[in-house]
Amino acid sequence: MKPGVIVAALLFGCPALGYAQTVPVALTHIRIIEGTGAPPVENGTVLMQDGVIVAAGRDIPLPPNTRILDRSGMSVLPGLISDHSHIGQLQGVQTGPQFYTADTITAELAQYRRYGVTTVTALGNNVPRVFDPMRKDAHMGLLPADLFGVDQGIGVPKGAPPVHVAPDQLFRPSTEEEARQDVDTMAAEGTDLIKIWVDDFDHSLPVKMDPAIIKAVVDEAHQKHLRVAAHIHDLDDAEHVVAAGVDILAHGVRDRFVPPSFVAMLKERGIWYIPTLELDEATIVWADQPAWVKTPFVEAGLSAPLQQQINNPVWQQENRTGSKADFARRSLATNLQNLKILWTAGVKIGFGTDSGATPLRVAGVAEHRELALMVQAGLPPLQALHIATEAAAALLDLHDRGVIGAGKRADLLVVAGNPANTISDTDRVVETWENGSAVTGPIPLTTR
Ligand SMILES: [Zn+2]
């Protein structure tokens, strides 16, 4: 496969917006991984036109003017969907509110798309003045990936999240009344979800969110028909927020193994659980330097300052050990086991990594690591891919994507090999399609 074969041959097309009609295009002789968890369709065809999938499967009749792209030896899956990322928080190895700009965010979305992530959820710490118009543009196909999210989110005075953000990027209400007003403000901004932070970050913060505030936020959000996602780390907090009516756990439980009562509560209430396994791996892995961090696939996603930092032996030494590294290692180990328990029990699992929140959580790369870690936790590759596509869309209440089927958005990730058997084949990115156009070409393949 020569990279030159892959071209953005088609004009952007989306009939709903009245843009130019496009010719039908078909990917042929390709393995179709539908996103549903069903076994792949071998030697299939995906026919697209005007930004949507017209038909997919075996023996699809093609209109006479179809542009045919032979994709023998490759697999196609729905574009990946992140349920928990962040945008505009950083540049290189620096973080701060000065990076919340349209330029930074557009570059981040382009990187997500390059790695096959075609829908991004920015779960809080957004500046509405910048975020709200960009979200609209993204929905119209004017940005490199589609964008959803929590506008600001609700934190705690002198507590979580321990981030350096501008006052317009986050609420820290001290009364129930203020909390309700903050929810109303976000509702008026068109937020997709509400978020709360319930954590003391390994006892490094003096307070956690007051239960009365949690209750007020959930009540107000539900009155506005908005669901609430909660940042948690500990089992106690997860149990508390679920009992208080929270709809989505934005991280895995990482201090203890989940007991059957908790599993039953999540199932009974239909709570979504986003493990974010990669979050803790990212804290240690750049210092540990396993072989995969040196692959061209990963290095293509690292800025020069970040490469310089993680290649510095002093930095590696400092970050490999110590309380922060130990905490991350323990959290990851517990998180992996809890995911297996909850997935086996049939709890609804979403897909997220917290990518973009810190320089070490690298947009796009993180999502590919999350897939690998889900498989490491014991999930079959097909199920990990289902979580990253159809399930991730369902978490967001999006029914127009996440599956390769007639009428769905033609957001696709084409890779070499068969990720249904070997999850790391997802890293062998050939091209990303968005709205029926091939928009990015191959990422250098890993040596294997
Ligand atoms: Zn987050």
Side-chain angles (χ1 to χ4, degrees):
M1 186 76 224
K2 289 197 291 285
V5 174
I6 298 142
V7 288
L10 300 173
L11 292 171
F12 178 87
C14 180
L17 301 172
Y19 289 128
Q21 292 283 305
T22 57
V23 292
V25 59
L27 308 178
T28 61
H29 305 109
I30 196 164
R31 178 181 299 102
I32 303 171
I33 298 172
E34 292 172 338
T36 58
V41 175
E42 299 292 337
N43 197 20
T45 299
V46 178
L47 177 65
M48 303 173 259
Q49 189 168 19
D50 299 326
V52 297
I53 298 166
V54 177
R58 298 288 291 265
D59 306 318
I60 301 292
L62 300 179
N65 62 335
T66 303
R67 181 186 164 83
I68 293 172
L69 302 172
D70 189 318
R71 292 292 181 261
S72 302
M74 301 181 201
S75 301
V76 59
L77 47 143
L80 306 179
I81 296 170
S82 164
D83 292 324
H84 188 168
S85 292
H86 293 276
I87 55 170
Q89 309 294 306
L90 57 92
Q91 195 162 62
V93 293
Q94 294 178 291
T95 56
Q98 69 272 30
F99 301 120
Y100 205 96
T101 66
D103 284 352
T104 317
I105 293 167
T106 304
E108 286 173 324
L109 293 178
Q111 175 151 330
Y112 279 110
R113 182 174 72 177
R114 192 171 176 218
Y115 281 88
V117 183
T118 49
T119 299
V120 175
T121 306
L123 214 61
N125 299 337
N126 294 302
V127 178
R129 169 174 49 80
V130 180
F131 181 66
D132 296 345
M134 289 191 84
R135 177 169 47 190
K136 282 190 189 132
D137 284 352
H139 293 341
M140 291 197 295
L142 302 174
L143 289 177
D146 204 358
L147 180 61
F148 295 85
V150 172
D151 272 80
Q152 295 95 329
I154 297 190
V156 181
K158 299 190 171 66
V163 288
H164 172 43
V165 290
D168 60 356
Q169 244 175 316
L170 179 69
F171 296 113
R172 295 187 190 271
S174 26
T175 66
E176 291 166 55
E177 195 46 47
E178 271 177 48
R180 286 181 187 274
Q181 281 169 15
D182 297 340
V183 170
D184 295 351
T185 301
M186 284 187 272
E189 288 161 352
T191 196
D192 297 294
L193 298 163
I194 299 294
K195 176 163 180 195
I196 56 174
W197 277 264
V198 185
D199 192 4
D200 64 6
F201 287 76
D202 195 22
H203 310 291
S204 69
L205 301 171
V207 282
K208 280 187 188 176
M209 187 174 281
D210 179 348
I213 301 262
I214 297 174
K215 221 165 150 264
V217 168
V218 170
D219 181 62
E220 190 70 17
H222 288 175
Q223 281 188 40
K224 301 273 174 185
H225 307 289
L226 286 167
R227 294 176 299 154
V228 181
H231 165 112
I232 49 92
H233 181 284
D234 296 351
L235 177 64
D236 285 351
D237 295 324
E239 287 177 335
H240 176 80
V241 297
V242 171
V246 155
D247 309 278
I248 299 163
L249 295 174
H251 296 288
V253 170
R254 289 164 284 164
D255 65 327
R256 282 192 280 155
F257 297 128
V258 290
S261 58
F262 178 73
V263 178
M265 184 158 68
L266 295 194
K267 278 197 76 174
E268 191 184 296
R269 296 179 178 229
I271 306 297
W272 282 98
Y273 181 93
I274 311 174
T276 64
L277 302 165
E278 170 58 13
L279 184 161
D280 290 301
E281 183 186 69
T283 303
I284 45 179
V285 81
W286 307 106
D288 286 351
Q289 293 271 308
W292 65 257
V293 310
K294 291 290 193 190
T295 57
F297 173 78
V298 170
E299 286 182 340
L302 307 180
S303 66
L306 182 59
Q307 289 213 32
Q308 205 178 7
Q309 181 187 73
I310 64 179
N311 289 330
N312 178 345
V314 178
W315 182 89
Q316 289 173 11
Q317 183 60 34
E318 281 170 3
N319 286 274
R320 202 176 289 141
T321 55
S323 60
K324 210 176 158 192
D326 291 346
F327 187 67
R329 283 181 211 285
R330 285 199 308 275
S331 294
L332 175 58
T334 309
N335 205 359
L336 285 162
Q337 292 214 37
N338 281 339
L339 170 60
K340 182 67 190 299
I341 294 167
L342 292 163
W343 174 79
T344 305
V347 168
K348 297 196 286 186
I349 309 294
F351 185 67
T353 61
D354 219 12
S355 54
T358 75
L360 300 179
R361 300 177 196 161
V362 179
V365 173
E367 283 69 23
H368 285 255
R369 284 305 304 162
E370 188 75 13
L371 287 169
L373 289 167
M374 287 195 286
V375 172
Q376 193 183 316
L379 276 59
L382 261 181
Q383 295 305 317
L385 293 168
H386 161 66
I387 288 168
T389 55
E390 186 181 33
L395 183 148
L396 294 170
D397 247 336
L398 298 174
H399 305 286
D400 62 345
R401 68 194 74 190
V403 172
I404 297 183
K408 304 289 184 185
R409 277 169 68 106
D411 292 349
L412 305 171
L413 172 55
V414 177
V415 301
N418 184 4
N421 285 346
T422 308
I423 196 66
S424 58
D425 279 357
T426 319
D427 300 354
R428 300 167 72 189
V429 172
V430 176
E431 61 199 4
T432 303
W433 289 72
E434 188 156 47
N435 282 310
S437 298
V439 282
T440 55
I443 298 174
L445 299 186
T446 51
T447 349
R448 59 189 68 230

